[in-house]
Amino acid sequence: MKQFGYDQLPPEPSSPGDALRCTITTTALTSTIDYEAISYCWGSNETVDSISCDNQASIPINQSLSLALRYFRHPRQTRCLWADAICINQSNVEEKSIQVGLIKDVSQRAWRVLVWLGEDGGGDSIEPLINLARKIKGSDLENLQKDRVACQNAVGFGKVHIYALVALLGKPWFAVAHRAILFCGYKSIDWADLCLILELESGVNLIGVNNQVVMDIVSGIDLECKAIGRGTPTTLLQVLLRHRMSLATDHRDKIFALLGLCTQETLQPDYHLPVGEVYKRFTKSYICQHHSLDIVTAPSDPAAHQPSRKPSWVPDWGAIDVAFPLALRTQLLPEVDYQATKGSKWTPAFSGDGDILRINVQYLDTVDVLGVVRQPFRPDKPDMKALFSQLRNDLITCTSWYKIGLADAKGLDDIYHMTGETLFNTCWQILVAGCSPTEYEELRTQSLRVWKLFKAFPFVTKLQRLPQWAFQLIYQLSKIPGRRIFAQRLLNEALANDLQFRIRRSTSHRRLMRTSQWYLGLAPAVTQVGDHVVLIEGLRTPAILRPANKGWEFIGDCYVHGCMNGEAFRPDLCNEMFLV
């Protein structure tokens, strides 16, 4: 008698607490297998879990990947996924160096990318964005697209959405992915839907205007989306600048893991190299290829100078909370292109060990007076209380800078002798770090409107002396119908133009400086009185240098009004110096 054959029963449904199990399949990139790639927070490398592979040995994984796998796991069926920590042999340096270089192809061939941003209370915080995306897709906003405020009102874009964006974009890791879906817990939002929302948001609200972190991310995402859509060639430098906020367990991945987003880069991953050597090789490769020193101005730690970090001309790409670059701003935004050294080129010259960089320098002046550092809006909890604290700090900064800019002049109508302009026109250009000729009149008009408000309400210059609760009271009064007081009028000006956003972007982690010859400008946060202001061949902005043992230390780039377009540059006055 033939024995009856039983079909295998389906496995019991998986629960979140069950052990993680998988089967690893080796296949060619050219295969037709359907899979989803996981993109997750690099963050801490502390092992908190493991996944059993082929019912044999286990692979240790960090908390972020462990949570992602538990949320992405189907309860009854298998799911074909790719995750770098599991699919790349992390203990084999040679293999890792090769496989990391293929991540771009792995992501592009995946039928979609699952971007894990954490549990976040089950994803409740992004629910408002999910609902808003539905409203936007169901609305006809074509006739309103030139007026973002009108578009926001049409779809009900409000404070709850602003806070949701701040929370979402303020995650510790955020990157562009092809055909991506962003997950917070079990809730998700499609990348394309998020882009629809970002088109509405450009700082035209009380939180957005002041939240520099979020707005930097918004700008980076917007540029990345447009570049991907147009198929525009992208360099590693552009990607690095757009993703400075990304965290990495291995700081070498701040370079290597982003190679997949580039279309123009010959750098190959090599995990045998220490972090500092990776950063140095990339910097040397760029300046030798372009005969330009602009890359050395990529800001490092803005809060405290680190004399132990050598060489000083190599940017620390591991730093995430940094100033907006001046010499590199055209790599990020289609704005003013500085030509402080008239487009001069630099001839590569390094010491034998590559640590010392030879440069040709024209001494310009010495830093004489410095204002307080303007700290950007970096709240742990982005609420109104944090915002009012930031506004109070900004008023203190404004008072300090105003005294330095005015000095012994009678008023802002006096002349800035370096250019022949009034101090008013000089000061607003310094605050936005300069502008193109086509933007000049519009920005000047916006600046004049805001300045007239301050003149109409002279008590504002004393507001920094008030306790924080007083700011809340002023804001509440401004919302009473018919009460056109200063807070509401200033807010309306912020919503009507992008002046405040540009000022915050240009001045964050910088301080106003005045030199011995009365040049005015913006200097890095770590600048000290006595530092040298110089022009360097091959660098499109002035820079700050400081004497060091056997050479000079590079402090950062700076804005000097009246020197940004080659007005002061004299090649015959340049002398050879060495950056260490």
Side-chain angles (χ1 to χ4, degrees):
M1 180 182 294
K2 186 178 179 180
Q3 188 174 5
F4 178 77
Y6 287 91
D7 291 331
Q8 183 174 353
L9 291 173
E12 285 295 314
S14 297
S15 63
D18 288 348
L20 293 168
R21 301 184 301 273
C22 74
T23 297
I24 294 181
T25 301
T26 302
T27 185
L29 268 175
T30 54
S31 69
T32 58
I33 186 172
D34 286 333
Y35 66 92
E36 299 164 290
I38 300 178
S39 176
Y40 60 98
C41 174
W42 295 324
S44 170
N45 199 32
E46 181 182 357
T47 299
V48 299
D49 200 355
S50 63
I51 181 168
S52 174
C53 302
D54 301 306
N55 293 319
Q56 298 177 11
S58 295
I59 296 177
I61 55 177
N62 67 13
Q63 183 175 19
S64 181
L65 180 56
S66 172
L67 287 172
L69 291 173
R70 293 180 184 282
Y71 273 89
F72 293 155
R73 170 171 59 185
H74 285 307
R76 288 187 178 276
Q77 63 188 55
T78 58
R79 189 173 191 176
C80 191
L81 302 169
W82 183 93
D84 58 354
I86 298 173
C87 298
I88 296 177
N89 186 350
Q90 304 294 319
S91 61
N92 188 320
V93 176
E94 286 79 10
E95 181 179 331
K96 183 178 179 180
S97 298
I98 296 172
Q99 292 296 318
V100 167
L102 298 175
I103 288 180
K104 174 184 177 182
D105 297 319
V106 171
S107 296
Q108 287 182 339
R109 292 177 184 275
W111 75 274
R112 67 177 181 176
V113 176
L114 313 177
V115 181
W116 174 251
L117 297 175
E119 287 186 291
D120 198 27
D124 291 340
S125 66
I126 69 166
E127 185 72 28
L129 299 180
I130 298 171
N131 296 332
L132 180 63
R134 294 195 193 102
K135 284 186 179 180
I136 294 174
K137 288 189 288 188
S139 304
D140 181 15
L141 300 179
E142 277 192 23
N143 296 328
L144 298 173
Q145 61 183 355
K146 293 183 180 179
D147 187 342
R148 279 195 173 90
V149 175
C151 287
Q152 289 183 354
N153 293 335
V155 296
F157 184 94
K159 187 182 296 185
V160 64
H161 305 108
I162 297 166
Y163 286 141
L165 274 178
V166 170
L168 179 64
L169 299 179
K171 294 291 182 182
W173 181 84
F174 200 91
V176 173
H178 186 54
R179 293 188 297 273
I181 298 180
L182 280 59
F183 285 85
C184 286
Y186 288 113
K187 302 289 178 63
S188 64
I189 183 169
D190 190 85
W191 175 260
D193 290 345
L194 179 62
C195 290
L196 287 175
I197 296 172
L198 293 178
E199 288 178 6
L200 287 177
E201 169 55 26
S202 66
V204 286
N205 57 71
L206 191 56
I207 297 295
V209 161
N210 289 276
N211 196 333
Q212 188 62 43
V213 172
V214 173
M215 295 316 302
D216 283 348
I217 296 172
V218 169
S219 298
I221 292 172
D222 184 52
L223 285 167
E224 207 82 63
C225 290
K226 291 176 180 177
I228 291 173
R230 294 191 303 262
T232 304
T234 304
T235 67
L236 178 56
L237 177 59
Q238 290 171 321
V239 173
L240 278 168
L241 291 171
R242 294 170 188 170
H243 294 279
R244 287 299 294 271
M245 295 298 296
S246 299
L247 295 178
T249 302
D250 186 334
H251 280 196
R252 290 169 293 193
D253 282 330
K254 289 299 293 277
I255 302 285
F256 295 153
L258 293 177
L259 288 171
L261 296 176
C262 308
T263 57
Q264 293 183 334
E265 189 55 51
T266 58
L267 186 70
Q268 296 298 318
D270 184 353
Y271 285 89
H272 289 101
L273 299 174
V275 175
E277 186 64 23
V278 172
Y279 292 172
K280 185 171 71 175
R281 289 194 180 190
F282 168 59
T283 305
K284 288 180 62 177
S285 171
Y286 181 90
I287 56 183
C288 289
Q289 179 183 353
H290 297 276
H291 289 257
S292 167
L293 293 173
D294 291 342
I295 191 173
V296 307
T297 68
S300 296
D301 184 354
H305 194 50
Q306 300 172 320
S308 60
R309 185 178 64 83
K310 300 292 183 182
S312 64
W313 52 269
V314 175
D316 177 13
W317 295 105
I320 59 174
D321 188 3
V322 296
F324 187 82
L326 297 179
L328 296 171
R329 68 190 295 177
T330 54
Q331 298 283 341
L332 292 169
L333 300 169
E335 290 186 358
V336 59
D337 186 8
Y338 306 117
Q339 296 293 334
T341 59
K342 298 181 179 179
S344 63
K345 295 294 183 179
W346 172 80
T347 302
F350 299 91
S351 61
D353 60 4
D355 285 347
I356 300 176
L357 171 64
R358 181 187 63 78
I359 56 176
N360 290 327
V361 177
Q362 176 189 344
Y363 171 79
L364 193 62
D365 208 350
T366 301
V367 177
D368 188 46
V369 181
L370 288 166
V372 299
V373 177
R374 185 191 171 273
Q375 303 293 349
F377 189 54
R378 302 287 195 265
D380 294 328
K381 184 179 180 182
D383 54 15
M384 296 304 296
K385 182 178 180 180
L387 176 61
F388 289 132
S389 177
Q390 172 64 22
L391 290 176
R392 186 171 182 271
N393 291 336
D394 278 349
L395 285 170
I396 294 173
T397 302
C398 286
T399 302
S400 166
W401 290 17
Y402 182 77
K403 290 178 180 178
I404 293 173
L406 197 61
D408 59 358
K410 295 180 180 179
L412 290 178
D413 291 330
D414 281 15
I415 300 301
Y416 176 65
H417 295 289
M418 299 302 178
T419 63
E421 300 169 287
T422 64
L423 280 175
F424 171 77
N425 285 332
T426 297
C427 288
W428 72 255
Q429 288 180 80
I430 291 174
L431 292 177
V432 298
C435 64
S436 65
T438 57
E439 299 174 300
Y440 182 88
E441 285 301 327
E442 176 60 26
L443 287 173
R444 182 181 182 278
T445 300
Q446 294 177 12
S447 301
L448 194 57
R449 286 207 304 262
V450 173
W451 177 241
K452 285 181 177 178
L453 279 178
F454 278 92
K455 289 180 69 175
F457 296 89
F459 70 90
V460 172
T461 59
K462 311 296 183 184
L463 282 180
Q464 72 272 14
R465 301 177 183 177
L466 296 177
Q468 189 165 303
W469 60 263
F471 285 79
Q472 178 72 41
L473 177 60
I474 292 172
Y475 177 68
Q476 294 299 329
L477 287 173
S478 71
K479 295 194 295 184
I480 299 175
R483 301 289 295 181
R484 297 282 293 171
I485 66 173
F486 176 80
Q488 187 60 52
R489 292 180 64 184
L490 186 61
L491 177 57
N492 290 341
E493 289 297 331
L495 301 184
N497 57 65
D498 65 348
L499 176 67
Q500 292 200 42
F501 171 47
R502 292 187 63 159
I503 290 175
R504 282 166 169 77
R505 186 180 62 205
S506 299
T507 59
S508 291
H509 290 308
R510 296 189 184 274
R511 59 203 315 177
L512 189 72
M513 72 170 175
R514 190 174 72 224
T515 69
S516 299
Q517 298 180 41
W518 291 75
Y519 278 110
L520 291 173
L522 294 173
V526 295
T527 304
Q528 298 175 4
V529 171
D531 285 344
H532 289 207
V533 182
V534 301
L535 297 172
I536 305 175
E537 285 189 349
L539 181 59
R540 67 183 67 218
T541 64
I544 303 292
L545 300 184
R546 184 177 301 159
N549 185 30
K550 298 181 180 180
W552 293 80
E553 214 168 349
F554 186 83
I555 304 303
D557 61 1
C558 60
Y559 178 90
V560 181
H561 196 66
C563 296
M564 303 306 292
N565 294 305
E567 301 94 331
F569 183 57
R570 291 274 302 276
D572 57 302
L573 297 180
C574 290
N575 295 297
E576 186 178 86
M577 295 173 64
F578 298 92
L579 294 181
V580 296

